[in-house]
Amino acid sequence: KLSLSNEYAPFPFCEMSPTTNSTTAPSAPPSPNAPPNSATATTMLTFGQLHTLASSHYHKHPQSTRHLIFELTAMVGLLATSFLKYAPVDPSRPALLLDDDIASIPIVSCWTPPDDIKLQMGELLFQLALCSISCHLELQECVSKKIMLNAKKYPIELCKGQSGKYTEYSDQTGITKTTGQSTSIGSTKSSSSSIGSSTKNNSNKDDISIDVMQQNITAFATARLWSRFHTPRNLVLALLGELGELA
């Protein structure tokens, strides 16, 4: 059984504003008297807190990395099934976009996912934390390095408003399927301040909230005019591809 206890209740799903393409905060601030297991209490959950929860669970119920990846695969499958059932259908758009065409692409209207999708996303995040612990990795560092690598693969001046693969810009960036893909600390630490976290050792690393990381990712996409491409179903399809590479 893959569902987690209320101890690991997920933070609220962050919706996209149809006018600003940025994340919007909950309409009401969390109550200071809210119970610790409520969704509002975990809105500002940090990566360090997530790591602590996952580490405690992992040491009480140790599993092999292979087993955890299988569970992760099952969770993504359930999430894809839910999106297929509930998510709005993607709008049609031309295959090749010119600068003047970008504004004509409709933005998916504000969509409120049902509670089961919110829970599935929370479980998926927690499972990723378990996988990172099993591999002796820091989830915050993994996400931060990925953002920095993507900044090199997708320069704003080359890919703004376009949804092409990074290999289309290889002549300019020098990054191909086999070269320039390193995310080692030595190749990224000089740019760590640009994404709100440090890639130093664990004892000195800034512990940022998951909300802040969401804002960093949103800003990254907005600067490249990608928000119109990030429909709910399109994002889940991309998630399935990333899962395949991880597995």
Side-chain angles (χ1 to χ4, degrees):
K1 186 175 182 181
L2 300 180
S3 61
L4 303 171
S5 67
N6 288 334
E7 180 182 357
Y8 310 112
F11 50 89
F13 188 91
C14 199
E15 297 181 14
M16 298 295 294
S17 167
T19 56
T20 63
N21 289 339
S22 61
T23 52
T24 56
S27 57
S31 168
N33 299 322
N37 287 336
S38 69
T40 55
T42 57
T43 298
M44 295 304 292
L45 181 73
T46 68
F47 277 91
Q49 292 169 332
L50 175 62
H51 181 89
T52 299
L53 287 172
S55 180
S56 175
H57 181 85
Y58 178 82
H59 290 297
K60 291 178 182 177
H61 310 283
Q63 297 286 356
S64 68
T65 303
R66 180 183 177 88
H67 181 87
L68 292 172
I69 293 294
F70 269 113
E71 286 189 335
L72 182 68
T73 303
M75 289 180 179
V76 174
L78 290 173
L79 183 65
T81 301
S82 296
F83 269 70
L84 183 63
K85 181 178 180 181
Y86 296 112
V89 177
D90 296 346
S92 59
R93 62 180 178 84
L96 178 63
L97 293 173
L98 302 176
D99 289 343
D100 294 339
D101 297 329
I102 297 173
S104 65
I105 303 176
I107 299 177
V108 175
S109 59
C110 194
W111 172 59
T112 303
D115 290 340
D116 54 347
I117 287 183
K118 297 177 184 179
L119 179 60
Q120 288 169 356
M121 294 185 71
E123 291 178 342
L124 181 59
L125 176 63
F126 189 78
Q127 189 70 16
L128 280 172
L130 291 176
C131 291
S132 67
I133 291 171
S134 178
C135 295
H136 306 286
L137 297 171
E138 290 285 340
L139 186 58
Q140 175 179 321
E141 185 178 20
C142 293
V143 178
S144 298
K145 287 182 179 181
K146 178 61 175 175
I147 297 175
M148 288 186 284
L149 177 60
N150 276 358
K152 298 177 181 179
K153 295 166 69 174
Y154 298 97
I156 295 177
E157 64 274 13
L158 296 178
C159 65
K160 190 173 184 179
Q162 302 298 325
S163 58
K165 193 172 178 63
Y166 70 92
T167 50
E168 296 183 17
Y169 319 114
S170 293
D171 290 342
Q172 292 84 3
T173 64
I175 300 177
T176 66
K177 292 182 178 180
T178 57
T179 60
Q181 298 278 4
S182 174
T183 57
S184 63
I185 292 178
S187 65
T188 59
K189 66 179 181 180
S190 62
S191 304
S192 61
S193 61
S194 65
I195 52 132
S197 70
S198 170
T199 54
K200 297 179 182 178
N201 60 56
N202 295 344
S203 60
N204 297 326
K205 183 178 61 179
D206 296 332
D207 181 22
I208 68 173
S209 73
I210 296 170
D211 283 27
V212 168
M213 187 65 79
Q214 283 183 308
Q215 293 169 16
N216 291 339
I217 295 172
T218 299
F220 183 95
T222 301
R224 291 159 177 77
L225 299 181
W226 284 355
S227 299
R228 295 176 184 273
F229 307 133
H230 290 175
T231 61
R233 292 189 177 198
N234 199 22
L235 289 173
V236 172
L237 285 175
L239 177 62
L240 290 168
E242 296 293 339
L243 175 63
E245 293 187 17
L246 179 64

